[in-house]
């Protein structure tokens, strides 16, 4: 591993400002998904270390919340400057442990840092209210106070951005945080902690505990000192964690699975739609919660759109993410590869045609060829489940009513996309889609300034933007007689 600053490669947890092993000294191995080579070991912690970190966060919060908003903002800004300075090392670490192309890893570091910069600014704008009283000689006020200790579990697909999107608003308002990163991608999280330490963020304010997900998750969700729990990951695990949080009635934020429709109407600019689809579908090799999962194309443009898409997909370069020209990396693990393989097999068994790809790729054990399937129907697995891989399934539709019904026929409601040039249609469709986010003639919608989150079983709460900070404060009403 050739890092300019090798000190960013940490193989210990960061608890209460100290780099520590698991109490039982156990570790777990992290491999590179590109070639399965060994990258390093991290502590295999459990409930005991999670409890220590929560207690450290609880103690640290007493003084962290007493700082002025400007002081907390300055700490965050200093951390962001260090992240900018070490961007290339952070991107290399990310590609090594996650597999995504280096160009995407660099963008993710910028995206991750945009949350720290944004919330460093928002820290200074957590305003309360004065309410006109309904009685003489009474004054009614609303204060916003930090909720307390936050515990968060973050996923492997965005090893840096999903951390900063949670910890930046938490720290900005005066909360402290304990994070468990995904077992597959702990090194990006630990490198961020190394830079937080360098930025002088006080001990106990930002903690990282690696290890056993169910033991750490149980401590996070049951410990009464934790007042807010935030999770990004699968809907199935999110439901379980939400149930666990009920025992101590924690405030919960969940960013769960999606099943995004991507609709191409017959009045769409087809070249623009292909560009948008390539960006949405193949970002991170199809492993994002907001990737287009079901592509609905109106019948008059179905064949033309398919042809244009095939020529774009053919050009994708597949291989080792560290190679600057590569656009598609490996899938994260065997389970991911198996899911993608099953989805393609199920579609073909039920009448779909594979017009490009459809099989594994010779670049390595965890690679799948970017694939285009046509003649899809709503009884297939892909119509119901998120594939989380580089498969573009094309469904044909006739009318607006039909495509709205098909798009909304899912328990998920995270992101959706459509392409049309008719302003009346744009409003009708944007309002009818039951999704938290809608891309209109746009395939990349994520930004720190807009609210990220879903309807239905895709989650609770919003991250990023001015709305994102609300999840980390309690509202206190003062009635002054
Ligand atoms: C996700 O897939 O969970 C996050 C994607 C994003 O923030 O753009």
């Amino acid at each position: 591993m050739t890092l300019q600053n090798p000190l960013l490669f940490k193989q210990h947890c960061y608890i209460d400002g100290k780099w520590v092993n698991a109490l039982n000294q156990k570790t777990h191995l992290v491999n590179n998904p590109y070639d399965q080579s060994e990258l390093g070991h991290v502590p295999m912690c459990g409930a005991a270390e999670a409890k220590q970190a929560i207690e450290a966060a609880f103690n640290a919060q007493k003084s962290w919340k007493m700082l002025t908003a400007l002081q907390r903002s300055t700490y965050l800004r200093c951390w962001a400057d260090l992240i900018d300075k070490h961007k290339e090392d952070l991107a290399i670490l990310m590609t090594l442990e996650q597999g995504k192309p280096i160009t995407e890893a660099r963008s993710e570091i910028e995206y991750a840092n945009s949350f720290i910069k944004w919330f460093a600014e928002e820290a200074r704008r957590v305003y309360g209210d004065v309410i006109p009283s309904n009685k003489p000689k009474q004054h009614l006020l609303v204060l916003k106070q930090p909720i307390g200790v936050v515990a968060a579990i973050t996923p492997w697909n965005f090893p840096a951005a999903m951390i900063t999107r949670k910890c930046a608003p938490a720290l900005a308002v005066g909360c402290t945080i304990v994070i468990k990163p995904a077992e597959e991608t702990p090194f990006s999280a630990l490198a961020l902690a190394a830079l937080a330490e360098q930025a002088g963020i006080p001990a106990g304010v930002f903690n990282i505990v690696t290890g056993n997900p169910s033991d750490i998750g149980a401590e996070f969700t049951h410990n009464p000192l934790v007042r807010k729990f935030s999770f990004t990951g699968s809907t199935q695990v999110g439901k379980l964690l939400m149930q666990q949080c009920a025992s101590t009635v924690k405030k919960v934020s969940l960013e769960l699975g999606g099943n995004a429709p991507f609709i191409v109407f017959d009045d769409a600019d087809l070249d623009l739609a292909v560009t948008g689809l390539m960006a949405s579908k193949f970002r991170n090799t199809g492993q994002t919660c907001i990737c287009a999962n079901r592509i609905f194309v109106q019948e008059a443009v179905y064949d033309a759109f398919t042809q244009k898409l095939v020529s774009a997909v053919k050009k994708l370069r597949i291989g080792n993410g560290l190679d600057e020209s590569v656009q598609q990396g490996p899938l994260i693990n065997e389970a991911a590869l198996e899911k993608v393989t099953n989805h393609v097999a199920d579609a073909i068994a039920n009448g779909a045609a594979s017009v490009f790809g459809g099989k594994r790729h010779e670049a390595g054990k965890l690679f799948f060829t970017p694939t285009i399937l046509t003649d899809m129907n709503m009884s297939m697995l892909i119509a119901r489940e998120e594939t989380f891989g580089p498969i573009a399934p094309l469904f044909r539709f006739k009318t607006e009513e039909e495509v709205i019904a098909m798009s909304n026929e899912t328990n998920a409601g995270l992101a959706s996309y459509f392409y049309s040039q008719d302003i009346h249609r744009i409003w009708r469709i944007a309002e009818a889609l039951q999704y938290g986010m809608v891309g209109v003639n746009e395939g990349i919608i994520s930004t720190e300034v807009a609210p990220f989150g879903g309807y239905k079983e895709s989650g609770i709460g919003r991250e990023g933007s001015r709305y994102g900070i609300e999840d980390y404060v309690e509202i206190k009403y003062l009635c002054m007689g």
Side-chain angles (χ1 to χ4, degrees):
M1 197 181 294
T2 48
L3 300 182
Q4 279 159 26
N5 181 355
L7 295 178
L8 291 183
F9 181 62
K10 296 283 188 196
Q11 300 190 74
H12 293 95
C13 290
Y14 187 62
I15 299 177
D16 203 10
K18 296 177 202 75
W19 294 96
V20 295
N21 287 321
L23 292 170
N24 61 10
Q25 306 302 314
K26 282 195 182 156
T27 60
H28 82 84
L29 174 66
V30 181
N31 291 313
N32 183 336
Y34 165 62
D35 57 4
Q36 292 70 55
S37 56
E38 294 188 5
L39 293 176
H41 290 81
V42 291
M44 192 63 181
C45 296
E49 295 86 345
K51 186 165 181 276
Q52 275 180 355
I54 291 166
E55 284 165 3
F58 182 75
N59 290 328
Q61 208 234 343
K62 293 174 194 156
S63 42
W64 182 250
K65 72 178 178 195
M66 299 309 287
L67 298 181
T68 63
L70 179 59
Q71 284 171 317
R72 287 194 297 269
S73 170
T74 307
Y75 276 117
L76 287 174
R77 193 62 231 194
C78 178
W79 189 22
D81 290 344
L82 287 167
I83 291 172
D84 275 340
K85 188 168 155 207
H86 296 282
K87 182 172 131 186
E88 192 58 20
D89 278 352
L90 293 169
I92 291 171
L93 266 178
M94 187 183 296
T95 293
L96 287 171
E97 65 179 356
Q98 204 277 338
K100 67 175 64 181
I102 189 76
T103 45
E104 283 197 41
R106 288 185 192 119
S107 308
E108 185 184 334
I109 297 301
E110 276 169 23
Y111 179 46
N113 213 5
S114 72
F115 291 107
I116 302 182
K117 292 173 185 170
W118 168 264
F119 285 110
E121 292 167 4
E122 287 297 285
R124 307 186 63 196
R125 294 189 256 283
V126 184
Y127 298 116
D129 265 321
V130 179
I131 301 174
S133 175
N134 55 355
K135 294 203 184 96
K137 297 192 188 157
Q138 263 191 0
H139 297 283
L140 311 183
L141 297 106
V142 171
L143 305 186
K144 289 193 181 161
Q145 294 189 308
I147 189 158
V149 174
V150 178
I153 299 184
T154 56
W156 50 262
N157 61 343
F158 288 89
M162 298 304 102
I163 289 180
T164 56
R165 195 152 80 180
K166 298 179 194 309
C167 74
L171 267 49
V173 299
C175 298
T176 52
I177 193 162
V178 184
I179 296 164
K180 191 207 106 40
E183 298 87 279
E184 294 85 350
T185 57
F187 293 123
S188 297
L190 294 169
L192 287 176
L195 295 174
E197 183 185 30
Q198 241 186 74
I201 293 180
V205 170
F206 180 83
N207 306 273
I208 301 276
V209 184
T210 58
N212 184 306
S214 49
D215 291 356
I216 296 173
E219 185 63 30
F220 279 7
T221 50
H222 288 117
N223 190 314
L225 295 182
V226 173
R227 292 315 316 147
K228 156 93 192 175
F229 177 73
S230 180
F231 171 70
T232 296
S234 74
T235 305
Q236 192 195 358
V237 174
K239 285 180 181 177
L240 181 75
L241 292 165
M242 188 177 170
Q243 266 173 13
Q244 291 178 190
C245 283
S247 67
T248 46
V249 194
K250 296 189 201 312
K251 191 162 173 174
V252 173
S253 289
L254 301 170
E255 199 259 275
L256 308 177
N259 183 359
F262 187 106
I263 310 169
V264 183
F265 286 102
D266 53 13
D267 63 286
D269 175 332
L270 292 192
D271 293 318
L272 194 68
V274 169
T275 306
L277 180 62
M278 294 299 292
S280 163
K281 177 68 255 182
F282 295 103
R283 179 174 173 222
N284 200 11
T285 315
Q287 302 173 107
T288 85
C289 301
I290 57 170
C291 275
N293 199 55
R294 298 166 296 154
I295 302 147
F296 299 111
V297 188
Q298 202 156 15
E299 58 180 358
V301 294
Y302 190 91
D303 293 339
F305 182 80
T306 307
Q307 268 178 23
K308 284 177 186 284
L309 185 62
V310 171
S311 15
V313 170
K314 268 186 187 160
K315 293 188 195 126
L316 286 174
R317 297 212 38 177
I318 299 150
N320 182 354
L322 287 181
D323 174 343
E324 292 284 341
S325 66
V326 158
Q327 295 157 301
Q328 293 288 279
L331 293 168
I332 191 71
N333 55 29
E334 296 275 358
L337 187 70
E338 198 177 315
K339 186 172 193 194
V340 168
T341 312
N342 282 345
H343 275 196
V344 172
D346 169 82
I348 289 173
N350 287 291
S354 169
V355 294
F356 190 80
K359 54 181 179 11
R360 292 178 180 214
H361 192 278
E362 63 280 3
K365 198 173 151 202
L366 295 178
F367 281 82
F368 202 90
T369 311
T371 295
I372 303 173
L373 301 173
T374 55
D375 305 313
M376 295 293 298
N377 68 56
M378 293 298 282
S379 71
M380 295 168 180
L381 265 182
I382 294 186
R384 300 192 300 276
E385 289 177 15
E386 193 177 27
T387 304
F388 239 62
I391 314 300
L394 304 182
F395 298 72
R396 200 183 286 266
F397 74 91
K398 287 194 172 78
T399 65
E400 252 181 59
E401 294 67 31
E402 183 192 7
V403 79
I404 287 300
M406 291 198 292
S407 298
N408 290 338
E409 196 183 313
T410 166
N411 290 336
L414 194 59
S416 55
Y417 308 84
F418 68 93
Y419 280 70
S420 165
Q421 302 191 76
D422 173 345
I423 188 66
H424 302 290
R425 171 176 270 168
I426 286 176
W427 274 106
R428 276 195 305 275
I429 305 298
E431 287 184 350
L433 287 169
Q434 294 162 0
Y435 289 83
M437 296 175 280
V438 186
V440 184
N441 296 321
E442 188 57 69
I444 292 289
I445 56 177
S446 307
T447 155
E448 77 280 13
V449 305
F452 190 105
Y455 282 19
K456 302 199 244 176
E457 293 188 10
S458 285
I460 296 178
R462 292 293 179 271
E463 294 191 316
S465 80
R466 71 185 168 88
Y467 302 99
I469 213 153
E470 299 295 332
D471 280 8
Y472 295 89
V473 292
E474 284 282 21
I475 286 178
K476 182 178 280 178
Y477 155 54
L478 300 188
C479 177
M480 301 180 64

